[in-house]
Amino acid sequence: MKKYRLPSLLLLLVFLVGALSLQGQTRAKKAAKPAAKKTAVAAFNPKTDPPFLNAKQKWVDSVFKSLTPEERIAQLIMIPVYSNKNQAHIDSISKLITTYKVGGLIFFQGGPVRQANMTNRYQRESKVPLMISIDGEWGLAMRLDSTVRFPYQMALGGIQDEKLIYDMGAEIARHCRRMGIHVNFAPVVDVNNNANNPVIGFRSFGEDKYNVTSKSIAYMKGMQDNKVLANAKHFPGHGDTNVDSHYGLPVIHFSKLRLDSVELHPFRELMKNGLGSLMVAHMNIPVLDNTKDLASTLSKPIVMDLLKKEMGFKGLVFTDALNMQGVAKFYAPGIVDVKALLAGNDMLLNTMDVKTTIEEVKKAIKNKEITQEEVDARCRKVLAAKQWMGLDNWKPIETKSLIEDLNNPYATYLNRQLTEASLTLLRNKGNILPLKALDTLKVAALAMGTHLETDFQRSLAKYTKVDNFFLSPTSSIAELQLLKEQLKEYNVVIVGVHKLQLKASGSGTFGITAEMNLFMKDLIRSKPTLVSVFGNVYSLNRFEDIEKAHGVLATYQENELTQDVAAQIIFGGVGAKGKLPVNVSSFFRINDGLTTEGGLRFAYTQPEAVGLTSQDFAQIDTLVQQAIRARATPGAQVLVAKNGKIIYSKAFGYHTYENQVPVKNTDLYDLASVTKITTSLAALMKLSGEGRFDVDRTLGEYLPMMKGSNKENLRYRDILTHQARLKSWIPFWKEEVKKNGELKGSVFSADSSAKFPTKVAQNLYIRKDFSEEIYKQIKESPLNEKPGYVYSDLSFILAPKVVENITGQEFETYLKENIYKPLGATTLTFNPYKQYPLSRIVPTEIDTLFRKQLLHGTVHDEGAAMLGGVSGHAGLFGNANDLAKVMQMYLQDGQYAGRRYIADKTVSTFSKCQFCPNNYRALGFDRPSKPGSENGNAAKGAPAESFGHTGFTGIYSWVDPVNQIVYIFLSNRVHPTRESSVLSKLNTRTNVMQVVYDAMEKAKGRPVASPLESKL
């Protein structure tokens, strides 16, 4: 026993030491585990990591555990869906979702409500909420009707203020979320350095990798900050290809150094900034993988080795559509999908055979080409993205007000801002733009490529008179020659190039024909020509000598907005700001772009441009429609300008209650007494500023015919404030009617002749010297017995004679040459029937007493009619747009578009109250009789400093210099009879203006923001 004791003790000691050592190692391991865990799993970095990597894992774990191996594969599948197809298609998608539990859908063409209804159905049917995606590079409008179409990326490439692009990304994200969409396959980050690229081109931000990168980051962040996953495409760069991968497989023969320095640069930078997903292109790139006819989408060296390992991308990797010919021509459905999965892609886009795809992936797992663990890891990544997208708390899409929400005013204003910032001025010879001295110009607007009136021509006509011409792409030599002759009398030709092809495919001419080219070249050589090209910017290189034009404007695409903004740049409503994002030719180089100042003339925009919201202007529509329903007026034009911008301009109703001719903004109304402030007063203020007229001198001094009368010594300060004791009016026509109701044959005739040359109305002419009888009656009329304010027409009837005596010019000629033509207010005219078709002139009363007819094209006021339609108290016609130009000139104290019409401080002096509080009138202008009153002659919110005038036919024209507002309301409330007083009883005109003040009050302290923010 003793001889065994020592070894036993030793063994025991060894055992105890070993046990203690093992326990220590275990403790050490336990203690080391947390530290090892910390180093193995890096903390989430919100600046650089895809946002969904911070997803809550509890939901992910729960859903993952509920999935079978096949269902985990299915989570990686995204199938194509169309909301413009039939019920059979809708049901077939439903079957795929319920049978195979696919992970997501990509929606293509259709409409918002249809897509929303389909999405709601599919989400309810799906075991796991579906990831919904769309190609919305320029917003939902790329796929869906009835939605906002933002500019193409090539246009955005020219924008200098990248916050606008961030804002666009944010609003597109809000549109997506409103539609239940979680991934937008945008931005395109391809560097388009091949002008003949048939598939990218206008979809790229341009050819400078830094510009492409910064704008792509702005777009991406705008979306991802608003919970929609961005997707950079097309990896590793599709910008320098000559084959469209939709139809074939492009082969890229670049060096790895070139790819790394150019094409991969934007992807790398976006990854550093938290890119959530990207799309792999279908291209064959021998330097990265020399397998013949193998697309990058199916290449493990490109997807797994380069993208995931070398570049370290952690986000979701989508294939490009697997039904595109770049891959589909080489591999059958199902086979191509499994190859894409083996290459390293996470999401299989446009899987065309779900059943086969799942079976082929299972085979690949069985054959150890991919492990179930790898599939599971990608499935978990997809689920994490879904949790971040809010699919752990899915709610159905509310279709009520869906279209309205997707077309909200904030989005449309943002779209306008983007367009204004993108248009690029490439030539401005002699600083011809913006156009000045309109009265010296005879302008032709030539639409090249179409035979129909364009939005561009309509927008140009807002600024001045333009004559429209057209040149079709295939015009004959004879037609070209005739057009050349017609344009000879014009000293400026504004050319809009329309209907161009978007892509450089085919002939590469973008649809520009030899005839168009020849005519443009000859036109540029012969006279000042301004060219706006509405299409792909590369098309500029297809016009010979276009660089020699006086003005060249690149708009990047053709739509109503680009045409409107182009017209505004030409006339100075907005300024040119954009820079060329690509090299077009040796004449038009990257970063070229001239700037001009805006605000010279009216800009045409919306309330958001001045910090107000369009929603707050909806009450205007309500009030006007209420007036129309109450038969206060058959129709109306309403215009509001603030800060030199027209923010509301709309036509309502019809010309008459027969509802046959809708009112348009271009139609002319009888301005009635607003004639006083736009003709007589305009002339007298101009002459006053020149020292040729003094309100403290008398009528007799300026009008010799009044000498010897009781009016000779009437002072103009009293006359213009209606306190000179003049009679209100004289019914001149009544004395010329016989007892049987017929007009005197000695005064009137149904036919014109040397004796009866002056037209009063249709088929009614007046004796040539009868105006002298009117002046005589005024001269001999008694004065009011009592002093004080009495509104009178009489002095304004005499005003044209006063102006003619001072200037030596005919009244209407003086006004047109000195005010209307230079302003571009060319619809302001007497006797509009001489210049315009009756279809553009709104009728007034059915006169049953004097003229016994519907008054259409001739003045309503009897006295003005008997003066041949030309008078200083009534007779002027025009539309709201042109009347607003005069009022804006008044608002700016006699100045407009850099030209002074009336001497400084003259208008501000004339518009002040002269004899308050006894008489609230200014010199010629009306002013608020009871500022702040609900039922006064001005809106309750209009300050005492505001001024303007009303017209008997239903007109209201008002200026608020305190708040920089011009307000115009045109109507024909006297139709069918002047006895109607409903418009006044409803206070429609002042109530409409009050809407503007209410909108201003609501906007105080409230930033202009997307209304969707509060709905999502």
Side-chain angles (χ1 to χ4, degrees):
M1 295 285 299
K2 286 183 183 179
K3 69 177 183 179
Y4 299 108
R5 185 171 294 177
L6 187 58
S8 298
L9 289 170
L10 286 171
L11 285 170
L12 181 62
L13 184 62
V14 168
F15 173 77
L16 290 170
V17 170
L20 288 168
S21 175
L22 184 63
Q23 189 178 17
Q25 286 177 21
T26 304
R27 282 177 183 164
K29 281 182 181 178
K30 284 181 179 178
K33 268 184 181 178
K37 192 172 184 180
K38 285 179 185 175
T39 54
V41 180
F44 173 74
N45 187 334
K47 290 185 178 179
T48 60
D49 287 340
F52 61 80
L53 291 188
N54 199 34
K56 298 170 185 174
Q57 291 300 311
K58 186 176 179 181
W59 183 83
V60 174
D61 293 341
S62 172
V63 174
F64 179 79
K65 289 173 185 175
S66 73
L67 300 176
T68 66
E70 290 84 0
E71 290 169 351
R72 295 172 196 170
I73 296 169
Q75 281 298 301
L76 312 182
I77 292 173
M78 192 167 264
I79 57 175
V81 190
Y82 295 78
S83 59
N84 64 351
K85 289 192 175 182
N86 60 20
Q87 192 62 41
H89 169 75
I90 296 171
D91 293 341
S92 69
I93 300 300
S94 183
K95 187 173 182 181
L96 289 173
I97 291 168
T98 54
T99 304
Y100 300 106
K101 316 296 189 295
V102 295
L105 311 175
I106 173 171
F107 271 97
F108 288 95
Q109 281 75 16
V113 176
R114 286 166 284 163
Q115 179 172 316
N117 287 329
M118 291 170 70
T119 301
N120 284 341
R121 170 182 171 175
Y122 297 149
Q123 291 287 25
R124 289 189 180 102
E125 293 174 342
S126 182
K127 177 178 178 178
V128 179
L130 296 156
M131 182 186 293
I132 309 296
S133 66
I134 198 166
D135 262 318
E137 295 165 20
W138 48 89
L140 298 183
M142 185 169 171
R143 297 300 185 199
L144 299 179
D145 59 36
S146 310
T147 55
V148 176
R149 177 180 291 270
F150 291 100
Y152 295 141
Q153 285 191 197
M154 185 67 77
L156 301 177
I159 291 177
Q160 304 307 294
D161 180 6
E162 290 179 355
K163 183 181 183 301
L164 287 172
I165 297 171
Y166 175 91
D167 291 342
M168 181 195 76
E171 185 65 7
I172 288 174
R174 288 186 280 264
H175 291 190
C176 287
R177 287 172 59 202
R178 183 68 179 84
M179 281 292 300
I181 295 168
H182 313 108
V183 184
N184 184 21
F185 293 119
V188 173
V189 305
D190 302 315
V191 181
N192 197 82
N193 36 32
N194 183 341
N196 296 313
N197 192 320
V199 63
I200 304 302
F202 67 93
R203 297 166 62 195
S204 165
F205 284 118
E207 68 177 74
D208 178 81
K209 66 181 181 181
Y210 300 108
N211 188 41
V212 169
T213 298
S214 63
K215 288 178 169 55
S216 296
I217 290 173
Y219 191 173
M220 172 196 77
K221 286 188 173 179
M223 285 195 289
Q224 292 190 172
D225 286 353
N226 288 274
K227 285 292 191 175
V228 167
L229 207 63
N231 183 277
K233 58 188 188 186
H234 306 78
F235 184 85
H238 210 321
D240 193 358
T241 59
N242 56 8
V243 173
D244 186 341
S245 51
H246 290 87
Y247 307 109
L249 182 64
V251 181
I252 308 300
H253 294 290
F254 302 145
S255 67
K256 193 166 184 180
L257 180 63
R258 152 71 191 266
L259 282 167
D260 189 67
S261 65
V262 179
E263 277 73 17
L264 292 179
H265 176 81
F267 290 99
R268 191 179 293 111
E269 294 304 309
L270 264 69
M271 290 176 196
K272 291 178 185 176
N273 283 274
L275 175 66
S277 71
L278 60 69
M279 179 181 288
V280 183
H282 302 317
M283 301 185 298
N284 183 257
I285 311 171
V287 72
L288 299 178
D289 188 335
N290 60 10
T291 307
K292 188 177 187 310
D293 294 333
L294 186 71
S296 44
T297 333
L298 312 182
S299 166
K300 190 171 183 180
I302 292 174
V303 181
M304 183 61 78
D305 297 342
L306 173 61
L307 175 60
K308 288 191 166 181
K309 292 181 179 177
E310 185 180 327
M311 297 180 73
F313 183 56
K314 303 175 188 175
L316 282 177
V317 179
F318 287 79
T319 68
D320 206 340
L322 293 173
N323 59 344
M324 289 166 60
Q325 290 303 297
V327 290
K329 69 188 293 184
F330 302 105
Y331 301 98
I335 304 299
V336 70
D337 300 78
V338 74
K339 283 188 169 294
L341 196 68
L342 295 176
N345 294 280
D346 299 316
M347 290 294 281
L348 308 175
L349 194 62
N350 275 31
T351 291
M352 304 309 290
D353 188 335
V354 175
K355 180 180 179 182
T356 301
T357 297
I358 293 172
E359 289 173 353
E360 290 296 324
V361 174
K362 288 171 68 177
K363 282 184 193 175
I365 293 171
K366 185 177 181 181
N367 295 335
K368 297 186 171 20
E369 296 173 87
I370 189 171
T371 66
Q372 181 67 48
E373 288 72 23
E374 288 177 281
V375 171
D376 290 352
R378 295 182 202 179
C379 174
R380 290 183 68 89
K381 189 195 284 191
V382 170
L383 292 174
K386 287 185 175 184
Q387 193 279 325
W388 175 82
M389 294 163 181
L391 284 169
D392 56 339
N393 186 30
W394 175 80
K395 293 177 182 176
I397 303 160
E398 174 57 64
T399 56
K400 184 181 178 183
S401 77
L402 179 59
I403 301 296
E404 181 184 348
D405 288 346
L406 296 176
N407 291 275
N408 69 79
Y410 172 85
T412 57
Y413 175 56
L414 176 59
N415 196 23
R416 179 174 286 278
Q417 287 180 289
L418 290 160
T419 302
E420 289 178 3
S422 69
L423 265 61
T424 306
L425 183 62
L426 295 169
R427 286 290 181 273
N428 192 14
K429 190 183 291 185
N431 290 321
I432 189 172
L433 297 179
L435 289 174
K436 303 167 190 73
L438 298 183
D439 51 327
T440 68
L441 303 179
K442 188 172 176 61
V443 184
L446 172 61
M448 187 174 285
T450 181
H451 63 281
L452 299 174
E453 186 184 38
T454 64
D455 291 316
F456 185 46
Q457 290 171 320
R458 283 187 283 271
S459 292
L460 291 170
K462 292 178 181 177
Y463 287 100
T464 193
K465 185 179 187 299
V466 297
D467 295 326
N468 293 342
F469 296 90
F470 303 89
L471 175 66
S472 68
T474 55
S475 296
S476 66
I477 296 297
E479 289 170 329
L480 294 176
Q481 189 58 41
L482 174 61
L483 181 58
K484 186 178 177 182
E485 287 296 318
Q486 291 173 325
L487 292 176
K488 276 185 177 178
E489 62 179 289
Y490 296 87
N491 55 10
V492 173
V493 179
I494 302 174
V495 180
V497 182
H498 302 273
K499 307 296 182 185
L500 294 177
Q501 297 162 7
L502 261 180
K503 297 181 180 179
S505 53
S507 64
T509 64
F510 298 94
I512 298 166
T513 64
E515 290 84 358
M516 293 165 68
N517 220 328
L518 178 66
F519 191 87
M520 179 89 83
K521 186 176 180 180
D522 187 55
L523 185 63
I524 289 170
R525 190 187 301 123
S526 64
K527 64 182 63 206
T529 304
L530 312 174
V531 185
S532 291
V533 179
F534 297 103
N536 191 314
V537 70
Y538 289 116
S539 68
L540 287 165
N541 193 35
R542 300 297 186 266
F543 280 109
E544 294 179 34
D545 291 348
I546 192 173
E547 71 280 355
K548 295 177 182 176
H550 275 64
V552 177
L553 192 58
T555 74
Y556 303 95
Q557 61 195 95
E558 179 167 10
N559 56 45
E560 183 179 352
L561 190 51
T562 55
Q563 294 177 73
D564 181 46
V565 172
Q568 294 197 47
I569 288 174
I570 288 170
F571 284 101
V574 298
K577 308 179 190 73
K579 301 289 184 185
L580 204 58
V582 291
N583 285 299
V584 171
S585 67
S586 58
F587 300 105
F588 303 132
R589 307 293 297 171
I590 190 168
N591 294 322
D592 282 356
L594 303 168
T595 59
T596 58
E597 287 296 318
L600 182 71
R601 296 187 177 88
F602 275 134
Y604 294 85
T605 180
Q606 59 192 76
E608 284 71 14
V610 294
L612 306 178
T613 61
S614 296
Q615 182 181 355
D616 291 336
F617 279 68
Q619 183 65 15
I620 293 178
D621 298 51
T622 302
L623 289 168
V624 178
Q625 295 294 357
Q626 176 193 48
I628 291 172
R629 285 194 304 272
R631 294 180 72 86
T633 178
Q637 287 175 11
V638 180
L639 181 148
V640 178
K642 181 167 169 53
N643 303 345
K645 305 175 193 294
I646 293 180
I647 58 173
Y648 184 98
S649 181
K650 194 167 182 179
F652 297 86
Y654 294 84
H655 282 203
T656 67
Y657 289 113
E658 281 69 38
N659 294 356
Q660 292 181 342
V661 183
V663 177
K664 297 179 181 177
N665 280 328
T666 51
D667 292 341
L668 283 71
Y669 276 85
D670 182 334
L671 301 182
S673 282
V674 170
T675 299
K676 293 179 175 71
I677 64 168
T678 48
T679 64
S680 301
L681 193 61
L684 294 177
M685 285 193 294
K686 180 169 180 58
L687 294 169
S688 175
E690 295 167 356
R692 301 165 73 187
F693 175 78
D694 186 345
V695 294
D696 289 315
R697 294 175 69 180
T698 64
L699 179 59
E701 291 179 80
Y702 290 116
L703 198 57
M705 72 167 71
M706 289 296 130
K707 286 187 176 179
S709 75
N710 57 5
K711 299 172 185 66
E712 177 181 359
N713 296 318
L714 296 182
R715 191 174 60 138
Y716 254 100
R717 191 178 296 276
D718 293 318
I719 290 171
L720 294 176
T721 52
H722 299 276
Q723 62 176 34
R725 295 172 57 210
L726 290 170
K727 289 290 184 184
S728 178
W729 68 296
I730 299 172
F732 304 106
W733 66 276
K734 286 188 176 180
E735 295 296 321
E736 314 311 326
V737 179
K738 295 186 288 188
K739 289 182 179 179
N740 63 2
E742 292 181 5
L743 298 174
K744 292 179 181 177
S746 59
V747 178
F748 295 100
S749 171
D751 298 309
S752 63
S753 64
K755 186 177 180 181
F756 298 96
T758 305
K759 187 172 181 177
V760 175
Q762 295 298 320
N763 303 315
L764 186 62
Y765 296 84
I766 197 167
R767 199 175 68 223
K768 67 178 181 180
D769 59 351
F770 193 80
S771 60
E772 299 303 320
E773 178 63 28
I774 289 176
Y775 301 139
K776 182 182 176 184
Q777 287 189 47
I778 293 174
K779 181 178 180 178
E780 295 176 353
S781 66
L783 295 176
N784 295 327
E785 291 181 12
K786 296 179 181 179
Y789 169 76
V790 174
Y791 181 82
S792 174
D793 283 344
L794 301 187
S795 71
F796 288 92
I797 295 174
L798 299 174
K801 303 304 291 182
V802 172
V803 173
E804 288 169 6
N805 281 345
I806 296 172
T807 65
Q809 264 188 302
E810 184 192 23
F811 186 56
E812 184 174 14
T813 302
Y814 177 81
L815 291 167
K816 287 190 173 182
E817 290 184 358
N818 288 280
I819 297 176
Y820 303 155
K821 282 184 181 178
L823 279 174
T826 52
T827 65
L828 295 183
T829 186
F830 295 104
N831 295 315
Y833 66 86
K834 293 180 179 180
Q835 299 177 54
Y836 297 95
L838 290 180
S839 59
R840 276 192 63 184
I841 305 169
V842 180
T844 53
E845 187 177 18
I846 300 173
D847 181 1
T848 59
L849 299 174
F850 171 29
R851 289 151 289 189
K852 298 180 180 176
Q853 59 182 271
L854 172 67
L855 301 175
H856 194 184
T858 56
V859 63
H860 177 263
D861 183 270
E862 297 91 339
M866 295 171 77
L867 288 163
V870 180
S871 181
H873 76 295
L876 196 69
F877 284 69
N879 60 34
N881 183 60
D882 282 349
L883 178 56
K885 293 171 188 174
V886 176
M887 302 307 287
Q888 183 69 27
M889 182 263 287
Y890 291 165
L891 179 64
Q892 296 171 183
D893 209 354
Q895 189 173 337
Y896 185 78
R899 177 168 175 167
R900 181 154 289 287
Y901 292 81
I902 298 169
D904 190 28
K905 295 186 173 56
T906 304
V907 178
S908 58
T909 298
F910 269 66
S911 61
K912 283 185 171 63
C913 186
Q914 302 296 302
F915 300 103
C916 284
N918 298 323
N919 179 350
Y920 62 88
R921 286 268 179 172
L923 291 168
F925 292 111
D926 198 359
R927 288 170 56 89
S929 56
K930 299 174 182 177
S933 170
E934 292 278 0
N935 299 308
N937 62 333
K940 179 183 176 183
E945 296 87 345
S946 64
F947 60 93
H949 215 284
T950 55
F952 186 76
T953 51
I955 312 299
Y956 195 87
S957 182
W958 210 259
V959 166
D960 174 355
V962 175
N963 296 292
Q964 294 290 298
I965 295 170
V966 169
Y967 166 57
I968 309 292
F969 185 102
L970 305 185
S971 75
N972 55 333
R973 70 99 196 160
V974 294
H975 182 83
T977 171
R978 69 183 68 194
E979 300 305 320
S980 172
S981 59
V982 179
L983 191 69
S984 295
K985 288 176 180 176
L986 290 173
N987 284 332
T988 302
R989 292 172 287 185
T990 52
N991 286 346
V992 166
M993 190 175 187
Q994 184 58 38
V995 172
V996 183
Y997 291 109
D998 292 343
M1000 289 165 56
E1001 191 62 33
K1002 291 174 187 174
K1004 285 181 180 177
R1006 179 185 65 186
V1008 174
S1010 173
L1012 285 176
E1013 287 183 6
S1014 61
K1015 287 197 171 190
L1016 298 173

